[in-house]
Amino acid sequence: MLAYRKCHRAQKTPHPMEKAGKRCFNRRAVAWKAGERPSRGSSVTVPFKKSALLMVLALLAVAVLIGHQTVPPMDRDESRFAQASRQMVESGDLVTIRFQDELRAKKPAGIYWLQAASASVFGTDDIAPYRLPSLLAMLLTVYGTFRIARTLYKPPRAVLAAAACGGAMLVFAEAHLAKTDSVLMLLCLLQQFGLMRIYQAWQHGRRLSYNSYLLVWLPMAAAILVKGPVAPLLALTTVGALCLWHRQKGWLRMLRAGRGLLLLAGITLPWAIMVTLATDGAFLDIAFRGDFVAKVQSAQESHGAPVGTYLMLAPLLIWPASLLLPRAVAQMPVLLDHVESRFLLAWIVPFWVVIEFVPTKLPHYPMPVLPALAVLLVCAVDAPLAGSAKGAMRAVARRWLALAGDYAMLAAGPLMAAAVLWAALTYGGVTGGRAFAFAMLAALMAGLALWQGILWHRQGGIMPVARVLAAGLAFHLIVIAGLIPSLSRVHVARAIDAQIAQDGGYPPAIAAAGFHEPSLVFHLGRDLLLVDGGEAALFLAEAADGLALIEKGQHEAFLAMADRVGLRLAPPRQIEGFNMSKGRDVLIFLYRADGFDPAGGKG
């Protein structure tokens, strides 16, 4: 009864982040309660409606679906995944993964199964069906973020955490791509949620059902089938951090590691054995030594960067929720005193340190920890600015440091607005006017987010933060669904496909020399021949109705071989653009044979 009265009084006080040590007890568990007192500059509280979360999910779904239809296949990973999944549907081979005739041993089969299932229902020709698993995974992750946030906050703050997760630039962008990362993020969240329940039960002295360990091991097994050892690594870093904190490991008995490992083997080994037999061991050898070990030992595919790269990129990767980051970091001592937030920190920090020291750096590597980060960020909604303007030097220094952090996060919006304006002017090409219009709209949304962010910085409160997230979502929608498709210079494969259709349709055979991007294979089909310039001339000599796509670097060799074998060429079409994967301008010539005279060869 006494605990209940304390809880009742605590609900009328500000969020515990404002007054360290305030806690609220109820029948469910020890849980933080968001304050009902209006923030400074506000005269009303913010009521919660059950439809708020559904509205967030619906807005995210509609925004991403628009992008699915407008964004062309992107190089390189997305097009490789989609093409391999298309070939899985066409061949019916659910074990061996191939891109054209090449064994694709980069990732396990799980993501290809999901994409192939979607494509078999909605069609294999367009890129959008292959992207649906990423969208569904993102929406479920947003809902899972809400469920985790409810262990710390009242529903309005939990919805804000869910919106911060779904509206983060990295999460929103990956939901548009037919890749593994959104699905992996969902499976890692499910695994960590199961682990969190076990940790909570141990901390609060509660008993769980015997089968609770399944909530950890089943998502982990599924995550291994999607992207290998990332989820087990996340579990190990989380458990290791908690064991070091408590200097105890007895609570790990609730994980039932023996049964869990048997379950893990029972789910993952059947496919591993089948693909080993089907490829004589080549698949797993390439996957382990050629992909995983290569990324750990050195920077793979020129994706190296120094330690601290992810920390520097964090304000952009989680924008616009990065507005809350400095004040959330300032609450670290209070967070460590609380069971749920301590688990979230153990979820985030050790894994983040590990990926910082991995030589290969890719923007999507932090995704498994972003839901936990979104939940912790919400603790800063009503947190006061650290330090004071007067008094001891330490207090003044803390205030200036806090001000610098706040304004650095506010500057992320204008920085992104400048980036999209530059992209529109640089890569707009023949659709530059449309690209610039979308860039201006995006800059307007970034300005709106900046205005509301300044308002929150001065007054606090949940509503300015909600408006910042809404403006950020509008920014992402405009950039991804509007601006990116309008950057005609970077979509070279789409331009080639359109030119072929305009010239009368697809010839019976096509060869490409120099420009071998996976998006071209997805557009033109698995039978596209990837050759060099000399081989392309020989191809046209043998396939009179064929088409050769010659990149400028291979042009001289192509013409030399054509002259040598007596191949007469029709005047070529030309397509100019920018190869984003290689970071250089490209010029593509589309050649057809105008005649072939073997006697005209020179030797």
Side-chain angles (χ1 to χ4, degrees), residues 65 281 480 553:
L65 283 172
I480 295 177

Side-chain angles (χ1 to χ4, degrees), residues 305-316:
V307 175
T309 297
Y310 293 120
L311 190 61
M312 296 297 294
L313 289 177
L316 298 179

Side-chain angles (χ1 to χ4, degrees), residues 420-421 423-424 434-436 438-439 477-487:
V420 298
L421 286 169
R434 186 171 64 190
F436 185 74
F438 280 119
L477 172 61
I478 293 167
V479 170
I480 295 177
L483 174 63
I484 290 178
S486 301
L487 301 177

Side-chain angles (χ1 to χ4, degrees), residues 217-276:
W217 295 100
L218 287 176
M220 185 186 295
I224 291 173
L225 285 175
V226 167
K227 203 170 181 175
V230 177
L233 173 63
L234 178 62
L236 284 173
T237 56
T238 304
V239 167
L242 293 173
C243 288
L244 286 174
W245 175 265
H246 293 288
R247 301 292 194 273
Q248 296 183 43
K249 58 181 180 180
W251 64 281
L252 297 180
R253 288 194 295 268
M254 290 188 285
L255 283 172
R256 312 199 188 283
R259 292 174 180 266
L261 291 173
L262 286 175
L263 181 66
L264 210 64
I267 294 174
T268 60
L269 283 182
W271 172 79
I273 293 171
M274 287 188 290
V275 77
T276 299

